[in-house]
């Protein structure tokens, strides 16, 4: 059932280690959720608007949400469009790195 995602996901710890490379991070939570705390370099694009995403460079995009469910859906949609998307397992619930936010 999850073979589609094999190799297409990383842990929050692995993503934290990649932050020095300035990866493209998409947070697919709603705007109000994003405002409560997000990875500093993440861009907010709610799952309902994922079809409007335009890839800027030919590199992987890392997709995160609160728990990993919406980001999996977003990764599937992005991959169907030929975009190299990687799911962040556990989402912000598992994130232990720096966050920004707390205001709307």
């Amino acid at each position: 059932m999850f073979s589609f995602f094999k190799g297409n996901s990383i842990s929050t710890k692995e993503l934290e280690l990649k932050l020095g490379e300035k990866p493209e991070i998409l947070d697919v939570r709603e705007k109000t959720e994003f405002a409560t705390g997000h990875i500093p370099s993440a861009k907010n694009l709610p799952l309902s608007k994922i079809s409007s995403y335009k890839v800027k460079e030919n590199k992987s995009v890392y997709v995160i949400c609160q728990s990993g469910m919406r980001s999996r859906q977003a990764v599937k949609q992005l991959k169907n469009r030929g975009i190299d998307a990687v799911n962040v397992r556990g989402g912000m619930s598992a994130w232990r790195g720096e966050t920004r936010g707390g205001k709307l």
Side-chain angles (χ1 to χ4, degrees):
M1 180 172 166
F2 293 105
S3 62
F4 175 83
F5 297 106
K6 193 172 185 176
N8 295 319
S9 67
I10 62 170
S11 69
T12 54
K13 190 67 177 166
E14 289 170 309
L15 178 60
E16 190 174 3
L17 294 172
K18 288 182 172 288
L19 290 181
E21 302 168 19
K22 299 189 186 313
E24 174 95 10
I25 302 170
L26 281 184
D27 189 320
V28 296
R29 296 177 297 160
E30 294 300 317
K31 184 178 180 180
T32 53
E33 293 173 285
F34 184 78
T36 64
H38 58 272
I39 298 169
S41 60
K43 293 178 181 84
N44 186 220
L45 184 66
L47 178 61
S48 62
K49 297 181 179 170
I50 198 71
S51 63
S52 69
Y53 176 73
K54 303 277 189 268
V55 68
K56 292 181 181 89
E57 296 178 36
N58 193 15
K59 63 180 188 179
S60 299
V61 59
Y62 297 89
V63 186
I64 195 165
C65 65
Q66 188 60 40
S67 67
M69 298 302 288
R70 285 176 282 181
S71 58
R72 269 202 304 254
Q73 293 173 32
V75 164
K76 184 176 182 179
Q77 289 181 43
L78 292 169
K79 285 195 164 294
N80 285 341
R81 292 176 41 216
I83 297 170
D84 183 19
V86 180
N87 182 47
V88 181
R89 292 187 309 271
M92 289 303 293
S93 294
W95 181 256
R96 299 295 173 256
E98 181 185 352
T99 60
R100 288 225 174 97
K103 47 188 168 167
L104 291 173

